[in-house]
Amino acid sequence: QVQLVESGGGLVQPEGSLRLSCAASRSVFSFASMAWYRQAPGKQRELVAGITRDDSTTYAGSVKGRFTISRDKSKNTVDLQMNFLKPEDTARYYCNAALLTTSFASPGSYWGAGTQVTVSS
């Protein structure tokens, strides 16, 4: 059974930074793709950033240039570095993994429970 566990969320001021980590129960390189999604109250869950097994990345337009997704072999994690955070980044952030898809047209089969990110003064 695949488990994904997020960490690193918290309260941060606007323009601040956070680094989220997703620890997986199997190699993060064994998935076709992994991604970070987020969901704010009253909004649809949206793709924030994704990375494929061959290191192709994709980002939501709202976070491009501010967020960076990466995989860490030594820790077996997928990380999301978030810089210049804005109040509209406030959401619960979820790790996602897909065995087959690399398109990010729809989420993969595996989800973590999420970690809360709140950007506020």
Side-chain angles (χ1 to χ4, degrees):
Q1 185 175 340
V2 174
Q3 287 187 288
L4 304 174
V5 181
E6 303 93 334
S7 63
L11 176 64
V12 64
Q13 293 184 327
E15 308 304 319
S17 297
L18 282 175
R19 188 175 184 89
L20 305 183
S21 291
C22 173
S25 61
R26 57 187 283 179
S27 173
V28 297
F29 296 94
S30 70
F31 298 102
S33 63
M34 297 191 73
W36 286 93
Y37 286 74
R38 68 185 181 188
Q39 187 168 28
K43 295 185 64 179
Q44 292 286 311
R45 189 170 298 189
E46 64 174 341
L47 175 68
V48 178
I51 186 166
T52 67
R53 193 152 50 203
D54 65 350
D55 298 322
S56 178
T57 58
T58 190
Y59 296 92
S62 59
V63 309
K64 192 173 298 182
R66 300 189 296 123
F67 292 9
T68 303
I69 189 170
S70 62
R71 293 173 296 178
D72 189 316
K73 183 177 180 179
S74 65
K75 298 190 298 182
N76 196 46
T77 61
V78 172
D79 302 328
L80 184 69
Q81 178 66 46
M82 305 185 294
N83 299 324
F84 304 103
L85 283 159
K86 304 175 180 180
E88 50 263 47
D89 294 318
T90 296
R92 191 164 185 86
Y93 284 70
Y94 298 88
C95 184
N96 176 260
L99 290 176
L100 300 177
T101 185
T102 60
S103 71
F104 304 107
S106 60
S109 298
Y110 304 102
W111 292 95
T115 185
Q116 180 68 34
V117 172
T118 302
V119 184
S120 176
S121 298

